[in-house]
Amino acid sequence: FFFFFFSRANNSVLPLSLWKMALRKFFGYLNEFKTEGVLGAVKKLYFYDTLKVGTLVGQDQFGNKYYESKEELLGRDRWVELARGERNYDATQIPPEWHAWMHHIHELKGDDFKANSLSPTYKLDHIPNQTGTQRAYLPHLHLLKRRDEQLAAERDQEWDPSRD
């Protein structure tokens, strides 16, 4: 741990401000291990390739948790932990209200955005991308759609004892 803080080029020690920042991160990681447990912290490290420490800002209707840390660089200071904990996460799993907050388009968080009447009343609920699922959109003459219709037609035919 301490090898990181010494520079080999001129054998100097890092300034006190960097020590404080590094120790704050180190104790933040320890707190993460304490709150999430070893397995939970390793799971986060596997899914997100990093352990980040920040304050919980809010949660959306899908259960995604949104965090913010003022110590991180701009653009890396806000992040989301997906509710399902999938490795194949997708940008469409984040509702538009939270997407705008995460990318610093505005400072209104997801619930504040809806309550502030900036969201139109006719807007439909957010649905993540359905590609690759049974609910995926297929055009009218798509091969997979025709095959599904043919299978359904064969499956739904009446039983004829003379055909056996």
Side-chain angles (χ1 to χ4, degrees):
F1 173 71
F2 292 104
F3 294 115
F4 169 74
F5 299 109
F6 291 100
S7 172
R8 292 182 182 208
N10 55 5
N11 293 332
S12 64
V13 179
L14 290 177
L16 186 61
S17 59
L18 290 178
W19 274 97
K20 286 181 182 179
M21 185 178 68
L23 286 175
R24 195 176 308 127
K25 275 195 169 271
F26 177 73
F27 286 116
Y29 294 153
L30 286 180
N31 189 31
E32 187 77 21
F33 275 99
K34 187 175 92 175
T35 57
E36 295 290 328
V38 175
L39 186 61
V42 169
K43 188 177 172 184
K44 276 187 182 181
L45 188 61
Y46 173 72
F47 284 140
Y48 305 118
D49 297 327
T50 185
L51 280 179
K52 285 192 168 187
V53 179
T55 57
L56 179 66
V57 174
Q59 190 170 357
D60 64 11
Q61 68 266 26
F62 301 113
N64 300 332
K65 295 180 181 178
Y66 298 89
Y67 293 90
E68 183 174 27
S69 174
K70 298 293 183 186
E71 297 174 2
E72 297 286 336
L73 296 172
L74 185 66
R76 294 182 176 262
D77 59 339
R78 296 175 177 177
W79 67 95
V80 60
E81 291 181 359
L82 298 175
R84 292 182 287 183
E86 293 181 5
R87 183 70 175 155
N88 299 330
Y89 41 84
D90 183 6
T92 62
Q93 294 173 330
I94 300 174
E97 300 86 17
W98 283 102
H99 180 270
W101 174 79
M102 285 189 60
H103 293 276
H104 297 277
I105 295 172
H106 57 70
E107 291 300 316
L108 295 175
K109 297 167 186 73
D111 301 331
D112 299 338
F113 186 80
K114 289 180 183 176
N116 207 4
S117 73
L118 293 176
S119 182
T121 56
Y122 55 83
K123 189 175 115 184
L124 297 174
D125 289 334
H126 176 72
I127 300 172
N129 188 358
Q130 301 295 315
T131 302
T133 66
Q134 292 293 327
R135 297 180 58 192
Y137 171 76
L138 297 173
H140 176 63
L141 296 175
H142 194 274
L143 291 175
L144 293 176
K145 189 170 189 176
R146 291 182 61 213
R147 186 185 71 199
D148 288 345
E149 290 172 353
Q150 289 171 352
L151 290 174
E154 291 174 7
R155 182 186 67 221
D156 295 339
Q157 286 181 355
E158 293 183 14
W159 177 67
D160 186 11
S162 63
R163 279 195 288 165
D164 287 338

PDB file of all heavy atoms in Angstrom, residues 143-164:
ATOM      1  N   LEU A 143     -38.171 -12.684 -41.294  1.00  0.00           N
ATOM      2  CA  LEU A 143     -38.145 -14.148 -41.297  1.00  0.00           C
ATOM      3  C   LEU A 143     -38.477 -14.742 -39.941  1.00  0.00           C
ATOM      4  O   LEU A 143     -39.203 -15.729 -39.851  1.00  0.00           O
ATOM      5  CB  LEU A 143     -36.768 -14.635 -41.756  1.00  0.00           C
ATOM      6  CG  LEU A 143     -36.425 -14.383 -43.219  1.00  0.00           C
ATOM      7  CD1 LEU A 143     -34.996 -14.800 -43.504  1.00  0.00           C
ATOM      8  CD2 LEU A 143     -37.390 -15.124 -44.117  1.00  0.00           C
ATOM      9  N   LEU A 144     -37.931 -14.178 -38.883  1.00  0.00           N
ATOM     10  CA  LEU A 144     -38.212 -14.731 -37.555  1.00  0.00           C
ATOM     11  C   LEU A 144     -39.682 -14.553 -37.182  1.00  0.00           C
ATOM     12  O   LEU A 144     -40.263 -15.422 -36.537  1.00  0.00           O
ATOM     13  CB  LEU A 144     -37.325 -14.062 -36.510  1.00  0.00           C
ATOM     14  CG  LEU A 144     -35.833 -14.363 -36.616  1.00  0.00           C
ATOM     15  CD1 LEU A 144     -35.061 -13.576 -35.584  1.00  0.00           C
ATOM     16  CD2 LEU A 144     -35.584 -15.847 -36.447  1.00  0.00           C
ATOM     17  N   LYS A 145     -40.288 -13.461 -37.588  1.00  0.00           N
ATOM     18  CA  LYS A 145     -41.690 -13.245 -37.276  1.00  0.00           C
ATOM     19  C   LYS A 145     -42.560 -14.237 -38.038  1.00  0.00           C
ATOM     20  O   LYS A 145     -43.500 -14.795 -37.485  1.00  0.00           O
ATOM     21  CB  LYS A 145     -42.089 -11.815 -37.616  1.00  0.00           C
ATOM     22  CG  LYS A 145     -43.464 -11.442 -37.113  1.00  0.00           C
ATOM     23  CD  LYS A 145     -43.701  -9.971 -37.260  1.00  0.00           C
ATOM     24  CE  LYS A 145     -44.979  -9.591 -36.556  1.00  0.00           C
ATOM     25  NZ  LYS A 145     -45.190  -8.159 -36.591  1.00  0.00           N
ATOM     26  N   ARG A 146     -42.244 -14.492 -39.286  1.00  0.00           N
ATOM     27  CA  ARG A 146     -43.009 -15.459 -40.078  1.00  0.00           C
ATOM     28  C   ARG A 146     -42.867 -16.855 -39.489  1.00  0.00           C
ATOM     29  O   ARG A 146     -43.820 -17.610 -39.419  1.00  0.00           O
ATOM     30  CB  ARG A 146     -42.553 -15.423 -41.528  1.00  0.00           C
ATOM     31  CG  ARG A 146     -42.946 -14.113 -42.214  1.00  0.00           C
ATOM     32  CD  ARG A 146     -42.547 -14.055 -43.653  1.00  0.00           C
ATOM     33  NE  ARG A 146     -43.200 -15.112 -44.406  1.00  0.00           N
ATOM     34  CZ  ARG A 146     -42.650 -15.722 -45.456  1.00  0.00           C
ATOM     35  NH1 ARG A 146     -41.454 -15.361 -45.876  1.00  0.00           N
ATOM     36  NH2 ARG A 146     -43.285 -16.664 -46.103  1.00  0.00           N
ATOM     37  N   ARG A 147     -41.648 -17.201 -39.068  1.00  0.00           N
ATOM     38  CA  ARG A 147     -41.438 -18.531 -38.495  1.00  0.00           C
ATOM     39  C   ARG A 147     -42.244 -18.686 -37.209  1.00  0.00           C
ATOM     40  O   ARG A 147     -42.877 -19.719 -36.986  1.00  0.00           O
ATOM     41  CB  ARG A 147     -39.958 -18.747 -38.211  1.00  0.00           C
ATOM     42  CG  ARG A 147     -39.665 -20.168 -37.757  1.00  0.00           C
ATOM     43  CD  ARG A 147     -38.233 -20.349 -37.374  1.00  0.00           C
ATOM     44  NE  ARG A 147     -38.026 -19.634 -36.121  1.00  0.00           N
ATOM     45  CZ  ARG A 147     -36.859 -19.276 -35.663  1.00  0.00           C
ATOM     46  NH1 ARG A 147     -35.774 -19.535 -36.345  1.00  0.00           N
ATOM     47  NH2 ARG A 147     -36.744 -18.644 -34.522  1.00  0.00           N
ATOM     48  N   ASP A 148     -42.267 -17.667 -36.367  1.00  0.00           N
ATOM     49  CA  ASP A 148     -43.042 -17.729 -35.133  1.00  0.00           C
ATOM     50  C   ASP A 148     -44.529 -17.865 -35.430  1.00  0.00           C
ATOM     51  O   ASP A 148     -45.241 -18.622 -34.773  1.00  0.00           O
ATOM     52  CB  ASP A 148     -42.799 -16.491 -34.273  1.00  0.00           C
ATOM     53  CG  ASP A 148     -41.419 -16.492 -33.643  1.00  0.00           C
ATOM     54  OD1 ASP A 148     -40.783 -17.568 -33.634  1.00  0.00           O
ATOM     55  OD2 ASP A 148     -40.987 -15.430 -33.166  1.00  0.00           O
ATOM     56  N   GLU A 149     -45.008 -17.139 -36.462  1.00  0.00           N
ATOM     57  CA  GLU A 149     -46.421 -17.234 -36.826  1.00  0.00           C
ATOM     58  C   GLU A 149     -46.751 -18.625 -37.373  1.00  0.00           C
ATOM     59  O   GLU A 149     -47.803 -19.186 -37.089  1.00  0.00           O
ATOM     60  CB  GLU A 149     -46.771 -16.158 -37.849  1.00  0.00           C
ATOM     61  CG  GLU A 149     -46.773 -14.759 -37.270  1.00  0.00           C
ATOM     62  CD  GLU A 149     -46.931 -13.694 -38.335  1.00  0.00           C
ATOM     63  OE1 GLU A 149     -46.915 -14.043 -39.535  1.00  0.00           O
ATOM     64  OE2 GLU A 149     -47.062 -12.518 -37.957  1.00  0.00           O
ATOM     65  N   GLN A 150     -45.824 -19.208 -38.159  1.00  0.00           N
ATOM     66  CA  GLN A 150     -46.058 -20.547 -38.692  1.00  0.00           C
ATOM     67  C   GLN A 150     -46.071 -21.579 -37.569  1.00  0.00           C
ATOM     68  O   GLN A 150     -46.912 -22.468 -37.536  1.00  0.00           O
ATOM     69  CB  GLN A 150     -44.979 -20.910 -39.709  1.00  0.00           C
ATOM     70  CG  GLN A 150     -45.091 -20.149 -41.006  1.00  0.00           C
ATOM     71  CD  GLN A 150     -43.884 -20.384 -41.903  1.00  0.00           C
ATOM     72  OE1 GLN A 150     -42.913 -20.994 -41.490  1.00  0.00           O
ATOM     73  NE2 GLN A 150     -43.957 -19.864 -43.121  1.00  0.00           N
ATOM     74  N   LEU A 151     -45.130 -21.448 -36.626  1.00  0.00           N
ATOM     75  CA  LEU A 151     -45.105 -22.382 -35.492  1.00  0.00           C
ATOM     76  C   LEU A 151     -46.367 -22.253 -34.658  1.00  0.00           C
ATOM     77  O   LEU A 151     -46.938 -23.247 -34.210  1.00  0.00           O
ATOM     78  CB  LEU A 151     -43.871 -22.140 -34.629  1.00  0.00           C
ATOM     79  CG  LEU A 151     -42.531 -22.526 -35.244  1.00  0.00           C
ATOM     80  CD1 LEU A 151     -41.392 -22.089 -34.335  1.00  0.00           C
ATOM     81  CD2 LEU A 151     -42.471 -24.024 -35.478  1.00  0.00           C
ATOM     82  N   ALA A 152     -46.823 -21.045 -34.469  1.00  0.00           N
ATOM     83  CA  ALA A 152     -48.048 -20.835 -33.698  1.00  0.00           C
ATOM     84  C   ALA A 152     -49.246 -21.410 -34.444  1.00  0.00           C
ATOM     85  O   ALA A 152     -50.140 -22.004 -33.835  1.00  0.00           O
ATOM     86  CB  ALA A 152     -48.256 -19.342 -33.441  1.00  0.00           C
ATOM     87  N   ALA A 153     -49.285 -21.254 -35.774  1.00  0.00           N
ATOM     88  CA  ALA A 153     -50.397 -21.800 -36.560  1.00  0.00           C
ATOM     89  C   ALA A 153     -50.397 -23.327 -36.494  1.00  0.00           C
ATOM     90  O   ALA A 153     -51.451 -23.951 -36.367  1.00  0.00           O
ATOM     91  CB  ALA A 153     -50.296 -21.325 -38.006  1.00  0.00           C
ATOM     92  N   GLU A 154     -49.198 -23.944 -36.567  1.00  0.00           N
ATOM     93  CA  GLU A 154     -49.129 -25.409 -36.467  1.00  0.00           C
ATOM     94  C   GLU A 154     -49.517 -25.886 -35.078  1.00  0.00           C
ATOM     95  O   GLU A 154     -50.187 -26.899 -34.917  1.00  0.00           O
ATOM     96  CB  GLU A 154     -47.713 -25.876 -36.802  1.00  0.00           C
ATOM     97  CG  GLU A 154     -47.339 -25.701 -38.248  1.00  0.00           C
ATOM     98  CD  GLU A 154     -45.870 -26.042 -38.499  1.00  0.00           C
ATOM     99  OE1 GLU A 154     -45.205 -26.529 -37.564  1.00  0.00           O
ATOM    100  OE2 GLU A 154     -45.411 -25.798 -39.617  1.00  0.00           O
ATOM    101  N   ARG A 155     -49.110 -25.136 -34.080  1.00  0.00           N
ATOM    102  CA  ARG A 155     -49.388 -25.530 -32.707  1.00  0.00           C
ATOM    103  C   ARG A 155     -50.871 -25.389 -32.385  1.00  0.00           C
ATOM    104  O   ARG A 155     -51.429 -26.184 -31.629  1.00  0.00           O
ATOM    105  CB  ARG A 155     -48.561 -24.642 -31.771  1.00  0.00           C
ATOM    106  CG  ARG A 155     -48.725 -24.982 -30.302  1.00  0.00           C
ATOM    107  CD  ARG A 155     -48.021 -23.992 -29.425  1.00  0.00           C
ATOM    108  NE  ARG A 155     -48.703 -22.700 -29.553  1.00  0.00           N
ATOM    109  CZ  ARG A 155     -48.088 -21.539 -29.629  1.00  0.00           C
ATOM    110  NH1 ARG A 155     -46.783 -21.477 -29.597  1.00  0.00           N
ATOM    111  NH2 ARG A 155     -48.770 -20.422 -29.754  1.00  0.00           N
ATOM    112  N   ASP A 156     -51.520 -24.399 -32.972  1.00  0.00           N
ATOM    113  CA  ASP A 156     -52.904 -24.101 -32.618  1.00  0.00           C
ATOM    114  C   ASP A 156     -53.923 -24.823 -33.492  1.00  0.00           C
ATOM    115  O   ASP A 156     -55.120 -24.566 -33.375  1.00  0.00           O
ATOM    116  CB  ASP A 156     -53.145 -22.588 -32.697  1.00  0.00           C
ATOM    117  CG  ASP A 156     -52.320 -21.844 -31.668  1.00  0.00           C
ATOM    118  OD1 ASP A 156     -51.898 -22.478 -30.683  1.00  0.00           O
ATOM    119  OD2 ASP A 156     -52.090 -20.631 -31.853  1.00  0.00           O
ATOM    120  N   GLN A 157     -53.481 -25.730 -34.379  1.00  0.00           N
ATOM    121  CA  GLN A 157     -54.444 -26.466 -35.205  1.00  0.00           C
ATOM    122  C   GLN A 157     -55.191 -27.482 -34.362  1.00  0.00           C
ATOM    123  O   GLN A 157     -54.672 -28.033 -33.388  1.00  0.00           O
ATOM    124  CB  GLN A 157     -53.707 -27.182 -36.330  1.00  0.00           C
ATOM    125  CG  GLN A 157     -53.235 -26.250 -37.410  1.00  0.00           C
ATOM    126  CD  GLN A 157     -52.537 -27.040 -38.519  1.00  0.00           C
ATOM    127  OE1 GLN A 157     -52.343 -28.238 -38.419  1.00  0.00           O
ATOM    128  NE2 GLN A 157     -52.173 -26.330 -39.571  1.00  0.00           N
ATOM    129  N   GLU A 158     -56.413 -27.720 -34.779  1.00  0.00           N
ATOM    130  CA  GLU A 158     -57.206 -28.732 -34.085  1.00  0.00           C
ATOM    131  C   GLU A 158     -56.665 -30.119 -34.374  1.00  0.00           C
ATOM    132  O   GLU A 158     -56.116 -30.388 -35.427  1.00  0.00           O
ATOM    133  CB  GLU A 158     -58.666 -28.645 -34.531  1.00  0.00           C
ATOM    134  CG  GLU A 158     -59.347 -27.375 -34.091  1.00  0.00           C
ATOM    135  CD  GLU A 158     -60.823 -27.401 -34.499  1.00  0.00           C
ATOM    136  OE1 GLU A 158     -61.334 -28.459 -34.854  1.00  0.00           O
ATOM    137  OE2 GLU A 158     -61.427 -26.323 -34.466  1.00  0.00           O
ATOM    138  N   TRP A 159     -56.878 -31.009 -33.429  1.00  0.00           N
ATOM    139  CA  TRP A 159     -56.401 -32.394 -33.587  1.00  0.00           C
ATOM    140  C   TRP A 159     -57.391 -33.126 -34.472  1.00  0.00           C
ATOM    141  O   TRP A 159     -58.599 -33.078 -34.301  1.00  0.00           O
ATOM    142  CB  TRP A 159     -56.292 -33.047 -32.226  1.00  0.00           C
ATOM    143  CG  TRP A 159     -55.890 -34.477 -32.327  1.00  0.00           C
ATOM    144  CD1 TRP A 159     -54.703 -34.961 -32.745  1.00  0.00           C
ATOM    145  CD2 TRP A 159     -56.693 -35.596 -31.976  1.00  0.00           C
ATOM    146  NE1 TRP A 159     -54.692 -36.329 -32.690  1.00  0.00           N
ATOM    147  CE2 TRP A 159     -55.905 -36.740 -32.209  1.00  0.00           C
ATOM    148  CE3 TRP A 159     -57.977 -35.766 -31.482  1.00  0.00           C
ATOM    149  CZ2 TRP A 159     -56.369 -38.022 -31.970  1.00  0.00           C
ATOM    150  CZ3 TRP A 159     -58.432 -37.027 -31.251  1.00  0.00           C
ATOM    151  CH2 TRP A 159     -57.632 -38.148 -31.500  1.00  0.00           C
ATOM    152  N   ASP A 160     -56.825 -33.798 -35.454  1.00  0.00           N
ATOM    153  CA  ASP A 160     -57.634 -34.581 -36.379  1.00  0.00           C
ATOM    154  C   ASP A 160     -57.192 -36.024 -36.237  1.00  0.00           C
ATOM    155  O   ASP A 160     -56.063 -36.376 -36.605  1.00  0.00           O
ATOM    156  CB  ASP A 160     -57.436 -34.068 -37.802  1.00  0.00           C
ATOM    157  CG  ASP A 160     -58.363 -34.754 -38.797  1.00  0.00           C
ATOM    158  OD1 ASP A 160     -59.294 -35.463 -38.351  1.00  0.00           O
ATOM    159  OD2 ASP A 160     -58.133 -34.567 -40.002  1.00  0.00           O
ATOM    160  N   PRO A 161     -58.044 -36.912 -35.720  1.00  0.00           N
ATOM    161  CA  PRO A 161     -57.629 -38.307 -35.502  1.00  0.00           C
ATOM    162  C   PRO A 161     -57.363 -39.059 -36.803  1.00  0.00           C
ATOM    163  O   PRO A 161     -56.632 -40.042 -36.812  1.00  0.00           O
ATOM    164  CB  PRO A 161     -58.813 -38.941 -34.749  1.00  0.00           C
ATOM    165  CG  PRO A 161     -59.937 -38.003 -34.867  1.00  0.00           C
ATOM    166  CD  PRO A 161     -59.388 -36.673 -35.239  1.00  0.00           C
ATOM    167  N   SER A 162     -57.897 -38.612 -37.921  1.00  0.00           N
ATOM    168  CA  SER A 162     -57.667 -39.313 -39.186  1.00  0.00           C
ATOM    169  C   SER A 162     -56.246 -39.088 -39.701  1.00  0.00           C
ATOM    170  O   SER A 162     -55.766 -39.832 -40.538  1.00  0.00           O
ATOM    171  CB  SER A 162     -58.688 -38.885 -40.221  1.00  0.00           C
ATOM    172  OG  SER A 162     -58.548 -37.515 -40.495  1.00  0.00           O
ATOM    173  N   ARG A 163     -55.571 -38.036 -39.228  1.00  0.00           N
ATOM    174  CA  ARG A 163     -54.202 -37.744 -39.679  1.00  0.00           C
ATOM    175  C   ARG A 163     -53.195 -38.652 -39.007  1.00  0.00           C
ATOM    176  O   ARG A 163     -52.068 -38.758 -39.464  1.00  0.00           O
ATOM    177  CB  ARG A 163     -53.830 -36.303 -39.414  1.00  0.00           C
ATOM    178  CG  ARG A 163     -54.363 -35.366 -40.471  1.00  0.00           C
ATOM    179  CD  ARG A 163     -53.708 -34.038 -40.404  1.00  0.00           C
ATOM    180  NE  ARG A 163     -54.191 -33.334 -39.209  1.00  0.00           N
ATOM    181  CZ  ARG A 163     -53.634 -32.268 -38.681  1.00  0.00           C
ATOM    182  NH1 ARG A 163     -52.560 -31.772 -39.222  1.00  0.00           N
ATOM    183  NH2 ARG A 163     -54.139 -31.669 -37.630  1.00  0.00           N
ATOM    184  N   ASP A 164     -53.511 -39.266 -37.920  1.00  0.00           N
ATOM    185  CA  ASP A 164     -52.532 -40.121 -37.219  1.00  0.00           C
ATOM    186  C   ASP A 164     -52.306 -41.384 -37.905  1.00  0.00           C
ATOM    187  O   ASP A 164     -52.184 -42.128 -38.533  1.00  0.00           O
ATOM    188  CB  ASP A 164     -53.005 -40.401 -35.788  1.00  0.00           C
ATOM    189  CG  ASP A 164     -52.857 -39.167 -34.934  1.00  0.00           C
ATOM    190  OD1 ASP A 164     -52.057 -38.294 -35.284  1.00  0.00           O
ATOM    191  OD2 ASP A 164     -53.566 -39.092 -33.930  1.00  0.00           O
TER     192      ASP A 164
END
